[in-house]
Amino acid sequence: MQTVVKPFDEATIAEAARRILAGECVAVPTETVYGLAADATNGEAVAGIYAAKGRPSFNPLIVHVPTIDAARAIATFNPAAEKLAATFWPGPLTLVLPQRPDSPVAAIVAAGLDTIAIRIPAHPAMQGLLRATNRPLAAPSANASGRISPTRADHVLASLKGKIGLIVDAGPTGHGLESSIVAPAAAPVRLLRPGPIDRDMIEAATGLPVSLDASDAIEAPGQMASHYAPTKPVRLEAAHGKPGEWLIGFGNVAGDATLSASGDLIEAAARLFDALHEAEASDAARISVAPIPETGLGIAINDRLRRAAADR
Ligand code: TXA
Ligand code: MG
């Protein structure tokens, strides 16, 4: 794929919006770091983010929205969340909140969790893209997996050249540090990732004590283990279903439902969490999953499946 870098202006945002609505991901600056944005309501587009980044596992992503009303359509706000949003949005603060049952966001964005990380960014380029697409945008930092976060368009280019179509260049970002992540579910408010909005600012805005609780930030794939575990036993590498099993198919293995009949790993990644939820909700006592090739996005899919199947 050819990667073009274009200066931030109206025409570039229009092109970026066309690409996003066509299911591509596009690199765009925020006030913190450059993000790799995709339509959060399109699971396959979000799977494309992981493919471009070469991420070995699915971390839950931050959803960017233009307005508080758009945030309320996705997440449930308690009083502390209301105060934080009123004080710091738009800006470098991400709230982890319960996701509404009728949220339009694809399951892959929160990696199957029932919470969602959400923020209103302040940067005019990301704001422009949110308004032009009229979609919530999932966006991790626009770097290859394991590399440091990009604060300039040429950092993005060095890391993702050939993997994405467009980088919107608005010069260096203001903060250069990812947003603070806060979970205001109950006192004490938990600061999951320190960032530009510090603990004192959060305490002042909420009037509540704040604990630095980075252990709850879902950074390392291992920390996610319990979140992926269905309550039913899971058998992997299943070429055929056995009696009492709900078989999740892939490619030649049709199953009770399929991740991708054509064997497309991007489609499979997009459907994975929905498929596990569906299997969990079925009448079958056990779940089995067809073999998934250990290549490309298949590595991340198999990582998640092994966690789902692990003894507990
Ligand atoms: O400044 C930023 O936040 C940048 C710009 C692009 O907005 N984005 C960013 O995204 O840093 P990313 O994907 O690199 O980091 C997202 C972090 C992950 O480390 C994950 O632990 C946390 O957000 N996260 C997302 N959803 C979560 C959830 N439901 N519960 C706990 N942590 C969550
Ligand atoms: Mg990152």
Side-chain angles (χ1 to χ4, degrees):
M1 185 187 293
Q2 202 204 334
T3 305
V4 294
V5 181
K6 294 192 174 173
F8 166 45
D9 60 23
E10 230 171 275
T12 302
I13 291 299
E15 178 182 343
R18 276 196 302 278
R19 287 175 181 263
I20 297 263
L21 293 174
E24 266 188 57
C25 48
V26 170
V28 58
T30 78
E31 72 277 34
T32 59
V33 299
Y34 277 69
L36 188 57
D39 176 356
T41 66
N42 177 345
E44 289 187 37
V46 175
I49 292 175
Y50 291 100
K53 283 179 66 100
R55 255 194 190 173
S57 62
F58 303 132
N59 290 347
L61 303 177
I62 296 169
V63 174
H64 300 71
V65 291
T67 62
I68 186 83
D69 285 342
R72 286 204 178 95
I74 294 170
T76 306
F77 283 66
N78 64 11
E82 293 287 355
K83 285 183 192 153
L84 289 168
T87 310
F88 299 114
W89 282 358
L93 179 79
T94 295
L95 297 176
V96 172
L97 301 172
Q99 191 165 184
R100 293 172 58 100
D102 58 348
S103 159
V105 169
I108 189 176
V109 173
L113 299 173
D114 52 13
T115 52
I116 188 85
I118 193 163
R119 78 182 185 99
I120 302 182
H123 197 290
M126 185 57 129
Q127 278 277 350
L129 191 57
L130 286 163
R131 288 175 198 284
T133 55
N134 196 26
R135 293 281 204 288
L137 298 176
S141 49
N143 50 284
S145 178
R147 308 276 202 81
I148 54 164
S149 292
T151 56
R152 298 171 177 275
D154 44 313
H155 296 162
V156 182
L157 191 64
S159 188
L160 296 177
K161 188 173 183 179
K163 309 273 197 235
I164 59 175
L166 175 65
I167 300 170
V168 179
D169 183 357
T173 60
H175 291 286
L177 190 66
E178 294 96 335
S179 61
S180 308
I181 302 181
V182 173
V189 170
R190 287 171 308 140
L191 177 56
L192 303 182
R193 180 173 73 183
I197 308 289
D198 70 24
R199 189 175 168 153
D200 291 346
M201 295 162 82
I202 297 162
E203 282 184 350
T206 58
L208 296 171
V210 173
S211 67
L212 177 57
D213 193 359
S215 67
D216 244 50
I218 293 160
E219 214 101 45
Q223 291 173 293
M224 293 296 294
S226 62
H227 295 285
Y228 288 96
T231 56
K232 298 175 178 177
V234 179
R235 182 171 71 90
L236 303 182
E237 308 284 337
H240 306 277
K242 294 180 181 171
E245 284 182 349
W246 176 275
L247 175 60
I248 298 174
F250 179 82
N252 295 335
V253 180
D256 295 291
T258 185
L259 293 175
S260 169
S262 63
D264 177 350
L265 289 168
I266 291 189
E267 185 182 24
R271 291 196 182 157
L272 178 63
F273 295 108
D274 286 329
L276 286 171
H277 282 295
E278 185 187 13
E280 177 101 299
S282 75
D283 290 337
R286 292 183 302 282
I287 301 169
S288 54
V289 189
I292 310 293
E294 187 76 7
T295 55
L297 270 184
I299 296 170
I301 295 170
N302 283 322
D303 169 78
R304 284 298 170 254
L305 285 173
R306 280 191 285 270
R307 288 175 203 292
D311 281 340
R312 66 199 94 98

Short mmCIF file of all heavy atoms in Angstrom, two decimals, residues 30 32-36 53 55 59-62 64 94 96 110 113 115-117 119 139-141 177-179 181 192-193 216-219, ligand 1:
data_model
loop_
_atom_site.label_atom_id
_atom_site.label_comp_id
_atom_site.label_asym_id
_atom_site.label_seq_id
_atom_site.Cartn_x
_atom_site.Cartn_y
_atom_site.Cartn_z
N THR A 30 -3.83 14.06 17.40
CA THR A 30 -4.66 14.58 18.48
C THR A 30 -3.75 15.50 19.29
O THR A 30 -2.57 15.65 18.95
CB THR A 30 -5.23 13.48 19.40
OG1 THR A 30 -4.21 13.05 20.29
CG2 THR A 30 -5.76 12.29 18.59
N THR A 32 -2.52 14.89 22.01
CA THR A 32 -1.57 14.08 22.79
C THR A 32 -0.52 13.46 21.87
O THR A 32 0.65 13.83 21.91
CB THR A 32 -2.30 12.97 23.57
OG1 THR A 32 -3.01 12.14 22.66
CG2 THR A 32 -3.24 13.57 24.61
N VAL A 33 -0.95 12.50 21.07
CA VAL A 33 -0.07 11.83 20.11
C VAL A 33 -0.87 11.61 18.83
O VAL A 33 -2.08 11.83 18.82
CB VAL A 33 0.44 10.47 20.65
CG1 VAL A 33 1.24 10.65 21.93
CG2 VAL A 33 -0.73 9.49 20.88
N TYR A 34 -0.19 11.21 17.75
CA TYR A 34 -0.93 10.83 16.54
C TYR A 34 -1.68 9.52 16.80
O TYR A 34 -1.13 8.61 17.41
CB TYR A 34 0.01 10.66 15.34
CG TYR A 34 0.35 11.97 14.66
CD1 TYR A 34 1.14 12.92 15.30
CD2 TYR A 34 -0.12 12.26 13.38
CE1 TYR A 34 1.43 14.14 14.68
CE2 TYR A 34 0.18 13.46 12.75
CZ TYR A 34 0.95 14.41 13.40
OH TYR A 34 1.23 15.59 12.78
N GLY A 35 -2.94 9.47 16.35
CA GLY A 35 -3.74 8.26 16.51
C GLY A 35 -3.95 7.59 15.17
O GLY A 35 -3.83 8.22 14.10
N LEU A 36 -4.25 6.30 15.21
CA LEU A 36 -4.60 5.55 14.00
C LEU A 36 -6.09 5.27 14.09
O LEU A 36 -6.52 4.39 14.83
CB LEU A 36 -3.78 4.27 13.93
CG LEU A 36 -3.89 3.46 12.64
CD1 LEU A 36 -3.52 4.31 11.42
CD2 LEU A 36 -3.00 2.23 12.71
N LYS A 53 -0.91 -2.15 12.78
CA LYS A 53 0.06 -1.99 13.88
C LYS A 53 0.87 -3.25 14.13
O LYS A 53 1.89 -3.21 14.81
CB LYS A 53 -0.67 -1.61 15.19
CG LYS A 53 -1.10 -0.14 15.24
CD LYS A 53 -1.82 0.18 16.53
CE LYS A 53 -0.97 0.09 17.77
NZ LYS A 53 -0.48 1.36 18.29
N ARG A 55 -0.12 -5.63 15.99
CA ARG A 55 -0.27 -5.91 17.42
C ARG A 55 -0.48 -7.40 17.63
O ARG A 55 -1.32 -8.00 16.98
CB ARG A 55 -1.49 -5.17 18.00
CG ARG A 55 -1.09 -3.99 18.83
CD ARG A 55 -2.24 -3.46 19.68
NE ARG A 55 -1.81 -2.18 20.26
CZ ARG A 55 -2.60 -1.38 20.94
NH1 ARG A 55 -3.86 -1.69 21.13
NH2 ARG A 55 -2.14 -0.25 21.44
N ASN A 59 -5.77 -5.21 22.48
CA ASN A 59 -5.98 -4.39 23.66
C ASN A 59 -7.26 -3.61 23.44
O ASN A 59 -7.57 -3.26 22.31
CB ASN A 59 -4.86 -3.36 23.83
CG ASN A 59 -3.55 -4.01 24.21
OD1 ASN A 59 -3.52 -5.17 24.59
ND2 ASN A 59 -2.49 -3.25 24.09
N PRO A 60 -7.98 -3.30 24.51
CA PRO A 60 -9.14 -2.42 24.29
C PRO A 60 -8.66 -1.04 23.86
O PRO A 60 -7.60 -0.57 24.29
CB PRO A 60 -9.80 -2.39 25.66
CG PRO A 60 -8.74 -2.78 26.64
CD PRO A 60 -7.78 -3.65 25.91
N LEU A 61 -9.41 -0.40 22.98
CA LEU A 61 -9.01 0.89 22.40
C LEU A 61 -9.85 2.03 22.94
O LEU A 61 -10.94 1.81 23.47
CB LEU A 61 -9.20 0.83 20.88
CG LEU A 61 -8.46 -0.27 20.15
CD1 LEU A 61 -8.82 -0.23 18.66
CD2 LEU A 61 -6.96 -0.12 20.34
N ILE A 62 -9.34 3.24 22.78
CA ILE A 62 -10.08 4.44 23.18
C ILE A 62 -10.98 4.88 22.03
O ILE A 62 -10.55 4.94 20.88
CB ILE A 62 -9.10 5.57 23.56
CG1 ILE A 62 -8.28 5.15 24.79
CG2 ILE A 62 -9.83 6.88 23.79
CD1 ILE A 62 -7.11 6.07 25.10
N HIS A 64 -13.03 7.94 20.36
CA HIS A 64 -13.03 9.40 20.32
C HIS A 64 -14.37 9.88 19.78
O HIS A 64 -14.85 9.34 18.77
CB HIS A 64 -11.90 9.90 19.43
CG HIS A 64 -10.53 9.48 19.90
ND1 HIS A 64 -10.09 8.18 19.81
CD2 HIS A 64 -9.53 10.17 20.49
CE1 HIS A 64 -8.86 8.09 20.33
NE2 HIS A 64 -8.50 9.30 20.75
N THR A 94 -9.12 10.45 29.33
CA THR A 94 -9.96 9.34 28.88
C THR A 94 -10.70 8.77 30.08
O THR A 94 -10.09 8.55 31.14
CB THR A 94 -9.09 8.25 28.23
OG1 THR A 94 -8.50 8.79 27.05
CG2 THR A 94 -9.92 7.01 27.87
N VAL A 96 -12.96 5.65 31.63
CA VAL A 96 -13.39 4.26 31.47
C VAL A 96 -14.73 4.12 32.19
O VAL A 96 -14.82 4.28 33.41
CB VAL A 96 -12.36 3.26 32.03
CG1 VAL A 96 -12.91 1.84 32.03
CG2 VAL A 96 -11.07 3.33 31.21
N ALA A 110 -13.73 -2.65 22.57
CA ALA A 110 -13.46 -2.84 24.00
C ALA A 110 -12.92 -4.25 24.27
O ALA A 110 -12.78 -4.65 25.42
CB ALA A 110 -14.72 -2.60 24.82
N LEU A 113 -14.82 -6.38 26.69
CA LEU A 113 -15.14 -5.88 28.04
C LEU A 113 -16.51 -5.20 28.02
O LEU A 113 -17.00 -4.80 26.97
CB LEU A 113 -14.09 -4.85 28.50
CG LEU A 113 -12.65 -5.34 28.60
CD1 LEU A 113 -11.73 -4.17 28.91
CD2 LEU A 113 -12.53 -6.40 29.68
N THR A 115 -16.91 -2.42 29.74
CA THR A 115 -16.62 -0.99 29.90
C THR A 115 -16.09 -0.45 28.57
O THR A 115 -15.75 -1.21 27.68
CB THR A 115 -15.54 -0.78 30.99
OG1 THR A 115 -14.43 -1.61 30.69
CG2 THR A 115 -16.08 -1.11 32.37
N ILE A 116 -16.02 0.88 28.49
CA ILE A 116 -15.48 1.50 27.27
C ILE A 116 -14.63 2.70 27.67
O ILE A 116 -14.99 3.43 28.59
CB ILE A 116 -16.62 1.92 26.31
CG1 ILE A 116 -16.08 2.38 24.95
CG2 ILE A 116 -17.51 3.00 26.90
CD1 ILE A 116 -15.81 1.30 23.97
N ALA A 117 -13.49 2.86 27.02
CA ALA A 117 -12.63 4.03 27.24
C ALA A 117 -13.02 5.08 26.21
O ALA A 117 -13.08 4.78 25.01
CB ALA A 117 -11.17 3.64 27.11
N ARG A 119 -13.09 9.50 25.01
CA ARG A 119 -12.70 10.89 25.26
C ARG A 119 -13.11 11.79 24.11
O ARG A 119 -13.31 11.33 22.99
CB ARG A 119 -11.20 11.03 25.56
CG ARG A 119 -10.25 10.99 24.37
CD ARG A 119 -8.80 11.09 24.87
NE ARG A 119 -7.82 11.19 23.79
CZ ARG A 119 -7.27 12.35 23.38
NH1 ARG A 119 -7.62 13.50 23.93
NH2 ARG A 119 -6.38 12.35 22.40
N ALA A 139 -9.16 4.86 18.16
CA ALA A 139 -7.80 5.24 17.74
C ALA A 139 -6.77 4.97 18.83
O ALA A 139 -6.74 5.68 19.83
CB ALA A 139 -7.74 6.72 17.34
N PRO A 140 -5.93 3.97 18.63
CA PRO A 140 -4.74 3.82 19.47
C PRO A 140 -3.65 4.74 18.92
O PRO A 140 -3.83 5.36 17.86
CB PRO A 140 -4.36 2.36 19.27
CG PRO A 140 -4.76 2.08 17.86
CD PRO A 140 -5.99 2.93 17.60
N SER A 141 -2.54 4.85 19.63
CA SER A 141 -1.43 5.61 19.10
C SER A 141 -0.96 4.99 17.78
O SER A 141 -0.99 3.77 17.62
CB SER A 141 -0.31 5.66 20.13
OG SER A 141 -0.02 4.36 20.61
N LEU A 177 2.31 13.12 25.03
CA LEU A 177 2.14 12.08 26.04
C LEU A 177 0.68 11.67 25.95
O LEU A 177 -0.19 12.52 25.83
CB LEU A 177 2.43 12.71 27.40
CG LEU A 177 2.55 11.81 28.61
CD1 LEU A 177 3.78 10.93 28.47
CD2 LEU A 177 2.65 12.67 29.86
N GLU A 178 0.43 10.36 26.02
CA GLU A 178 -0.94 9.90 25.87
C GLU A 178 -1.83 10.43 26.99
O GLU A 178 -1.35 10.75 28.09
CB GLU A 178 -1.02 8.38 25.88
CG GLU A 178 -0.35 7.71 24.70
CD GLU A 178 1.06 7.26 25.02
OE1 GLU A 178 1.68 7.86 25.94
OE2 GLU A 178 1.52 6.33 24.36
N SER A 179 -3.13 10.45 26.73
CA SER A 179 -4.11 10.96 27.68
C SER A 179 -4.06 10.22 29.01
O SER A 179 -3.72 9.04 29.07
CB SER A 179 -5.52 10.83 27.09
OG SER A 179 -5.84 9.48 26.83
N ILE A 181 -5.81 8.21 31.85
CA ILE A 181 -6.99 7.33 31.83
C ILE A 181 -7.52 7.17 33.24
O ILE A 181 -6.77 6.80 34.15
CB ILE A 181 -6.66 5.94 31.24
CG1 ILE A 181 -6.12 6.09 29.81
CG2 ILE A 181 -7.91 5.06 31.24
CD1 ILE A 181 -5.79 4.77 29.12
N LEU A 192 -5.78 5.11 35.97
CA LEU A 192 -5.24 3.88 35.38
C LEU A 192 -3.98 4.13 34.57
O LEU A 192 -3.14 3.26 34.42
CB LEU A 192 -6.28 3.20 34.48
CG LEU A 192 -7.62 2.84 35.13
CD1 LEU A 192 -8.52 2.15 34.12
CD2 LEU A 192 -7.41 1.97 36.36
N ARG A 193 -3.89 5.32 33.99
CA ARG A 193 -2.67 5.70 33.26
C ARG A 193 -2.40 7.17 33.52
O ARG A 193 -3.22 8.00 33.17
CB ARG A 193 -2.84 5.47 31.74
CG ARG A 193 -1.60 5.84 30.94
CD ARG A 193 -1.69 5.44 29.46
NE ARG A 193 -2.59 6.29 28.70
CZ ARG A 193 -2.87 6.11 27.41
NH1 ARG A 193 -2.34 5.10 26.73
NH2 ARG A 193 -3.69 6.93 26.79
N ASP A 216 -4.52 -1.72 37.03
CA ASP A 216 -5.79 -2.00 36.38
C ASP A 216 -5.81 -1.58 34.91
O ASP A 216 -6.74 -1.90 34.19
CB ASP A 216 -6.93 -1.30 37.11
CG ASP A 216 -7.88 -2.31 37.71
OD1 ASP A 216 -7.39 -3.22 38.39
OD2 ASP A 216 -9.09 -2.18 37.49
N ALA A 217 -4.79 -0.85 34.50
CA ALA A 217 -4.73 -0.49 33.09
C ALA A 217 -4.48 -1.77 32.33
O ALA A 217 -3.67 -2.60 32.74
CB ALA A 217 -3.62 0.51 32.85
N ILE A 218 -5.18 -1.93 31.23
CA ILE A 218 -5.09 -3.19 30.52
C ILE A 218 -4.06 -3.03 29.43
O ILE A 218 -4.37 -2.74 28.29
CB ILE A 218 -6.48 -3.60 30.04
CG1 ILE A 218 -7.30 -3.90 31.29
CG2 ILE A 218 -6.41 -4.82 29.15
CD1 ILE A 218 -8.76 -3.85 31.06
N GLU A 219 -2.81 -3.16 29.81
CA GLU A 219 -1.71 -2.91 28.88
C GLU A 219 -1.13 -4.24 28.43
O GLU A 219 -1.03 -4.50 27.25
CB GLU A 219 -0.63 -2.09 29.57
CG GLU A 219 0.08 -1.13 28.65
CD GLU A 219 -0.44 0.30 28.82
OE1 GLU A 219 -0.61 0.74 29.96
OE2 GLU A 219 -0.67 0.95 27.80
O1 TXA B 1 -3.80 10.09 24.06
C1 TXA B 1 -4.33 9.02 23.81
O2 TXA B 1 -5.07 8.44 24.63
C2 TXA B 1 -4.05 8.38 22.45
C3 TXA B 1 -4.70 9.28 21.39
C4 TXA B 1 -4.59 8.72 20.00
O3 TXA B 1 -6.06 9.51 21.73
N1 TXA B 1 -4.55 7.05 22.36
C5 TXA B 1 -3.97 6.01 23.03
O4 TXA B 1 -4.55 4.77 22.78
O5 TXA B 1 -3.03 6.13 23.78
P1 TXA B 1 -3.84 3.38 23.11
O6 TXA B 1 -4.65 2.33 22.39
O7 TXA B 1 -2.40 3.42 22.77
O8 TXA B 1 -4.07 3.19 24.64
C6 TXA B 1 -5.33 2.82 25.13
C7 TXA B 1 -5.23 2.38 26.55
C8 TXA B 1 -4.75 0.96 26.67
O9 TXA B 1 -3.49 0.95 27.25
C9 TXA B 1 -5.74 0.27 27.57
O10 TXA B 1 -5.09 -0.23 28.67
C10 TXA B 1 -6.68 1.38 28.03
O11 TXA B 1 -6.53 2.42 27.12
N2 TXA B 1 -8.08 0.94 27.97
C11 TXA B 1 -8.91 0.96 26.91
N3 TXA B 1 -10.12 0.48 27.23
C12 TXA B 1 -10.08 0.16 28.54
C13 TXA B 1 -11.02 -0.40 29.46
N4 TXA B 1 -12.27 -0.70 29.07
N5 TXA B 1 -10.60 -0.60 30.72
C14 TXA B 1 -9.34 -0.28 31.12
N6 TXA B 1 -8.41 0.24 30.28
C15 TXA B 1 -8.76 0.45 29.02
#
